[in-house]
């Protein structure tokens, strides 16, 4: 996937700046929340502990009240009226007592007082053998009973029983028994509860709720198991709450004070802080991304401007300018870029001008070459007519048609005729050359027999060899096809040129002709070797140029115009072939002509001839 530089920069920015910010934010939030939660729980626990102390002190006060009554000297011996009035006084003074009564060592009631006034002898009898009498009587210690329910009101009660010790015998001879209500204990909590929406309640060892602000909770007989550890739990009312507990021991009984505060209230501060911190982080995030976007835009805009300019230039509109005016690196880049396009524009203009000049010059050169060629062709043609007349007349003179010539005259006329022939040959050559150069020659594409061609060439060699008594060697490749397509006459002209040079520049030894086929490369070659004077390396290329000979002296010693090889090379090229030379001074030379091997495909002749442009 190809991603734009903008996306990549943004991703990097977010990765580098926003990522860590988010991580720090989340960690900070979590930290703050945890600390505040711990604080809220600790606070609740403090309340539970404080209330426990209050409750313990309150109950201790009740016990002390009972103890001081017991210490009234001779309470047991007082008349019943006085006993009753003492008990009633305490009852009215302490509303925590539901009823108080005095029994002797056998469990017989002596006197009793009840808040409701419904205290009866039957009541007493039913509890005569109860623990609260027996315990203190036998052990002599203050006794705290488990919570029991008042049959009349349904209220939970706890009994405190204080022994009346006989100082002489050391054992108890009576017990002061008091039923204690939990309502006044509940009232101790109310001051705390009303201030902050929490509830405080008390649970006995059987998990029964014995003190609660809501009386119906108590009367229904609600049970609640306080958690072993302070924390956030489902509270008594069924919703999430922060719960903290503290146990107190009243006599042999254990109670638990539970403080319960709705989580939302207890953690309000934590949640508020959380919201504020998260909000702050979000604001910083938005600012960071905004600033980042602006920065990215500032980086990307000049790049995009440059890119679109470069694209326009690539599509050929060199007049486009990169529009970045800042003084930073981008501005510098744009200025360099613009300078570069200016330079290209300038260069392009120059090149166009040069091309135009070149075109004009070429046209002129072509025209003058054409005129030159035409002139040469015409001239040669015009020269041939009088030359033929001169040669014709010298023939007639030599044949004695004008009369017998003296030996001296004959000799001079022969020189005349000989030079006439040489001039004619030269003119023919020049004519050939101009024709080839002007592409005015036609190359035939006809089937011919290479064997027949070879035969004619060998015959010519034998004639030439007689003049200076040289050996003739020939090698004809049997692989040569029986028939090839091409211009037989032109090929012959090329080889005869090479052969006549070979004989011309060889005094002794041999001249060889070799024709080979190279089917793999679809070529065939004709090479002419001699054991003559050879060609110096520096002249190997020159000899193919018009009017070039190895040197002046050789031109004098060996007749010639320097046109033969130029014509040969041009002819070979026109036939899509190649010519090469290898030579060693004083040892001999080998000229090789390589031509395409065009075979006459049976039934395909016409097609092939057409393809050759015949
Ligand atoms: P020319 O009419 O002078 O032979 P060519 O173009 O045929 O013109 O040859 C150019 C020159 O190349 C010759 O004058 C000669 O110096 C050299 N040359 C050509 N063929 C041979 C050869 N077989 N051996 C030595 N020199 C050669």
């Amino acid at each position: 996937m190809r991603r734009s530089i903008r996306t990549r920069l943004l991703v990097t920015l977010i990765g580098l700046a926003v990522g860590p910010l988010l991580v720090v934010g989340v960690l900070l939030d979590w930290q703050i929340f945890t600390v505040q939660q711990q604080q809220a729980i600790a606070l609740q626990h403090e309340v539970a502990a404080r209330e426990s102390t209050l409750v313990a002190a309150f109950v201790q006060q009740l016990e002390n009240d009972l103890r001081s009554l017991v210490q009234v000297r001779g309470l047991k011996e007082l008349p019943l009226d006085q006993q009753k009035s003492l008990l009633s006084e305490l009852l009215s003074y302490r509303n925590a007592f539901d009823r108080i009564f005095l029994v002797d060592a056998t469990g017989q009631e002596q006197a009793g007082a009840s808040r409701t006034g419904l205290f009866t002898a039957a009541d007493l009898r039913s509890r005569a053998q109860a623990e609260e009498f027996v315990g203190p009587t036998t052990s002599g210690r203050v006794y705290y009973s488990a919570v029991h329910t008042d049959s009349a009101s349904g209220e939970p009660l706890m009994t405190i029983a204080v022994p009346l010790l006989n100082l002489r015998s050391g054992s108890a001879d009576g017990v002061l028994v008091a039923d204690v209500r939990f309502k006044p204990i509940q009232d101790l909590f109310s001051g705390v509860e009303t201030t902050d929406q929490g509830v405080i309640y008390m649970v006995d060892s059987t998990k029964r709720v014995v003190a609660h602000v809501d009386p119906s909770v108590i009367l229904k007989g609600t049970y609640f198991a306080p958690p072993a550890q302070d924390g956030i739990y489902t509270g008594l009312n069924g919703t999430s709450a922060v719960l903290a507990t503290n146990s107190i021991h009243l006599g042999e009984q254990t109670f638990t004070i539970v403080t319960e505060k709705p989580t939302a209230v207890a953690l309000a501060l934590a949640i508020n802080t959380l919201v504020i911190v998260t909000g702050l982080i979000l604001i910083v995030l938005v600012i960071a991304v905004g600033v980042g976007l602006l920065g990215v835009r500032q980086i990307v805009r000049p790049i995009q401007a440059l890119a679109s300019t470069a694209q326009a230039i690539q599509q050929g509109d060199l007049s486009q300018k990169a529009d970045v005016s800042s003084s930073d690196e981008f501005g510098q880049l744009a200025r360099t870029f613009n300078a570069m396009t200016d330079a290209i524009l300038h260069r392009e203009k120059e090149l166009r001008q040069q091309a135009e000049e070149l075109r004009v010059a070429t046209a002129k050169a072509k025209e003058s070459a054409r005129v030159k060629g035409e002139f040469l062709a015409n001239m040669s043609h015009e020269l041939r007519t009088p030359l033929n007349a001169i040669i014709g007349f010298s023939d007639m003179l030599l044949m004695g048609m004008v009369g017998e010539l003296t030996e001296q005259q004959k000799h001079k006329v022969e020189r005349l005729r000989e030079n006439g022939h040489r001039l004619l040959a030269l003119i023919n050559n020049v004519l050939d050359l101009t024709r080839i150069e002007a592409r005015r020659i036609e190359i035939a594409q006809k089937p011919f027999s290479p064997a027949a061609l070879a035969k004619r060439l060998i015959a010519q060699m034998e004639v030439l060899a007689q003049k200076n008594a040289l050996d003739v060697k020939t090698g004809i490749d049997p692989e040569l096809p029986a028939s090839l397509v091409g211009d037989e006459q032109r090929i012959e002209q090329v080889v005869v040129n090479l052969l006549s040079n070979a004989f011309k520049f060889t005094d002794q030894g041999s001249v060889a002709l070799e024709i080979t086929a190279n089917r793999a490369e679809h070529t065939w070659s004709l090479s002419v070797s001699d054991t003559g004077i050879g060609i110096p390396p520096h002249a190997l290329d020159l000899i193919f140029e018009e009017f070039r000979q190895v040197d002046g002296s050789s031109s004098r010693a060996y007749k010639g115009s320097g046109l033969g090889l130029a014509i040969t090379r041009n002819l070979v090229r026109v036939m899509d072939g190649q010519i090469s030379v290898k030579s060693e001074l004083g040892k001999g030379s080998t000229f090789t002509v390589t031509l395409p091997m065009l075979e006459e495909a049976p039934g395909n002749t016409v097609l092939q001839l057409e393809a050759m442009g015949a």
Side-chain angles (χ1 to χ4, degrees):
M1 192 183 79
R2 202 183 76 102
R3 281 197 303 179
S4 70
I5 190 164
R6 182 197 293 269
T7 328
R8 280 203 306 245
L9 277 174
L10 265 181
V11 168
T12 313
L13 181 93
I14 289 171
L16 281 181
V18 177
L21 196 66
L22 270 178
V23 170
V24 167
V26 168
L27 280 178
L28 199 68
D29 270 358
W30 183 73
Q31 185 75 17
I32 288 172
F33 191 81
T34 319
V35 166
Q36 302 241 3
Q37 182 180 319
Q38 296 303 331
Q39 275 179 0
I41 292 169
L43 199 74
Q44 290 290 97
H45 187 85
E46 233 172 74
V47 172
R50 201 175 58 220
E51 294 307 305
S52 300
T53 319
L54 279 180
V55 171
F58 182 76
V59 175
Q60 186 61 52
Q61 186 64 55
L62 296 181
E63 187 189 313
N64 289 347
D65 286 345
L66 294 174
R67 274 180 192 275
S68 43
L69 194 63
V70 165
Q71 271 153 26
V72 171
R73 200 160 296 156
L75 176 66
K76 233 173 89 49
E77 280 77 36
L78 284 177
L80 194 63
D81 286 358
Q82 282 186 29
Q83 282 181 338
K84 266 191 179 172
S85 77
L86 274 173
L87 295 183
S88 298
E89 200 185 316
L90 183 55
L91 201 66
S92 62
Y93 168 67
R94 286 281 184 208
N95 70 345
F97 293 125
D98 190 57
R99 53 191 122 179
I100 311 173
F101 49 94
L102 189 66
V103 293
D104 62 17
T106 61
Q108 286 296 310
E109 181 230 4
Q110 290 201 309
S114 159
R115 181 166 302 283
T116 51
L118 290 174
F119 190 73
T120 60
D123 260 342
L124 201 60
R125 267 196 304 279
S126 68
R127 292 171 63 179
Q129 296 307 315
E131 188 79 18
E132 55 245 48
F133 307 128
V134 181
T137 315
T138 51
S139 69
R141 281 198 294 117
V142 177
Y143 169 78
Y144 279 76
S145 80
V147 175
H148 53 93
T149 308
D150 180 51
S151 54
S153 64
E155 230 186 299
L157 296 173
M158 178 179 65
T159 305
I160 305 176
V162 182
L164 274 73
L165 284 176
N166 185 321
L167 293 175
R168 268 165 293 162
S169 67
S171 63
D173 51 5
V175 181
L176 182 63
V177 179
D179 283 342
V180 176
R181 300 163 63 221
F182 287 94
K183 176 76 175 70
I185 291 177
Q186 169 63 45
D187 290 342
L188 294 174
F189 304 152
S190 60
V192 183
E193 283 175 346
T194 46
T195 51
D196 57 4
Q197 295 178 43
V199 286
I200 303 172
Y201 47 91
M202 191 162 140
V203 179
D204 75 358
S205 55
T206 68
K207 321 270 189 253
R208 178 177 173 186
V209 180
V210 292
H212 192 282
V213 69
D214 181 357
S216 71
V217 170
I218 311 243
L219 295 177
K220 265 193 305 192
T222 309
Y223 287 81
F224 182 75
Q229 242 185 348
D230 298 347
I232 297 175
Y233 302 95
T234 304
L236 186 57
N237 64 357
T239 59
S240 168
V242 174
L243 291 181
T245 61
N246 197 63
S247 319
I248 46 170
H249 301 284
L250 302 176
E252 37 278 274
Q253 304 304 324
T254 303
F255 292 86
T256 308
I257 302 289
V258 183
T259 65
E260 173 177 328
K261 205 185 229 182
T263 311
V265 177
L267 296 183
L269 184 62
I271 291 168
N272 270 351
T273 320
L274 207 71
V275 168
I276 289 170
V277 170
T278 307
L280 276 176
I281 288 169
L282 281 180
I283 289 170
V284 171
L285 247 164
V286 166
I287 291 173
V289 170
V291 169
L293 274 174
L294 270 177
V296 168
R297 224 171 88 103
Q298 277 194 336
I299 294 172
V300 170
R301 224 191 10 209
I303 294 177
Q304 281 176 335
L306 268 173
S308 69
T309 312
Q311 199 172 5
I313 287 166
Q314 189 246 328
Q315 281 162 3
D317 184 1
L318 276 169
S319 65
Q320 285 278 336
K321 288 272 172 291
D323 180 25
V324 179
S325 51
S326 58
S327 57
D328 56 12
E329 287 84 347
F330 287 121
Q332 201 179 342
L333 181 61
R335 281 190 293 280
T336 315
F337 191 84
N338 288 340
M340 189 183 75
T341 52
D342 282 345
I344 293 174
L345 255 178
H346 184 71
R347 188 85 193 100
E348 199 209 18
K349 211 166 127 191
E350 272 181 4
L351 278 176
R352 221 180 281 153
Q353 215 167 330
Q354 282 174 5
E356 178 58 19
E357 281 166 11
L358 213 63
R359 198 187 61 75
V360 172
T362 314
K364 269 188 193 160
K366 267 190 189 160
E367 178 59 12
S368 66
R370 193 188 62 79
V371 170
K372 182 192 93 180
E374 216 159 79
F375 170 76
L376 273 175
N378 290 340
M379 274 301 281
S380 336
H381 187 71
E382 293 301 321
L383 285 172
R384 274 202 297 193
T385 321
L387 249 182
N388 278 325
I390 291 169
I391 292 168
F393 276 124
S394 30
D395 280 346
M396 279 163 67
L397 283 172
L398 286 173
M399 277 192 277
M401 287 167 89
V402 189
E404 273 309 302
L405 300 176
T406 63
E407 271 309 302
Q408 207 185 4
Q409 284 171 330
K410 214 174 177 179
H411 183 68
K412 283 189 173 149
V413 173
E414 266 172 359
R415 291 277 307 275
L416 177 70
R417 193 182 62 161
E418 196 179 306
N419 278 309
H421 271 298
R422 280 180 59 190
L423 200 53
L424 189 63
L426 180 63
I427 289 168
N428 279 341
N429 274 347
V430 170
L431 197 61
D432 259 2
L433 203 61
T434 51
R435 273 191 195 146
I436 297 168
E437 276 180 353
R439 301 263 161 192
R440 284 217 303 244
I441 58 151
E442 302 249 314
I443 299 295
Q445 293 291 357
K446 284 191 205 134
F448 67 92
S449 157
L453 175 68
K455 211 168 153 190
R456 280 205 305 282
L457 288 171
I458 292 165
Q460 290 209 35
M461 282 175 85
E462 271 155 7
V463 175
L464 287 165
Q466 283 168 3
K467 282 193 190 161
N468 31 8
L470 291 170
D471 282 346
V472 169
K473 292 180 179 167
T474 53
I476 312 297
D477 193 343
E479 292 285 297
L480 266 179
S483 171
L484 281 173
V485 174
D487 195 326
E488 186 183 11
Q489 269 173 339
R490 295 292 181 192
I491 297 170
E492 188 173 339
Q493 186 184 345
V494 164
V495 180
V496 168
N497 267 351
L498 297 177
L499 282 173
S500 51
N501 275 349
F503 282 103
K504 185 156 72 177
F505 296 106
T506 307
D507 290 333
Q508 55 188 21
S510 62
V511 173
L513 171 69
E514 198 168 358
I515 306 180
T516 49
N518 186 347
R519 282 193 176 272
E521 286 178 13
H522 302 287
T523 56
W524 63 300
S525 310
L526 306 107
S527 67
V528 174
S529 316
D530 62 56
T531 55
I533 61 167
I535 304 160
H538 75 267
L540 283 176
D541 284 334
L542 295 179
I543 53 173
F544 290 103
E545 285 170 23
E546 292 92 344
F547 305 108
R548 289 301 280 264
Q549 294 167 322
V550 169
D551 61 25
S553 66
S554 75
S555 113
R556 252 166 264 133
Y558 306 95
K559 292 169 193 164
S561 60
L563 281 179
L565 282 179
I567 293 171
T568 303
R569 185 183 61 171
N570 284 349
L571 275 177
V572 171
R573 281 185 181 167
V574 178
M575 291 189 288
D576 290 329
Q578 280 168 334
I579 183 162
S580 63
V581 59
K582 276 188 195 147
S583 184
E584 211 177 318
L585 212 53
K587 292 216 167 145
S589 320
T590 301
F591 287 80
T592 305
V593 172
T594 306
L595 293 168
M597 190 193 278
L598 302 174
E599 281 187 74
E600 189 189 16
N604 204 13
T605 319
V606 181
L607 232 160
Q608 202 165 19
L609 289 181
E610 269 171 12
M612 293 297 122

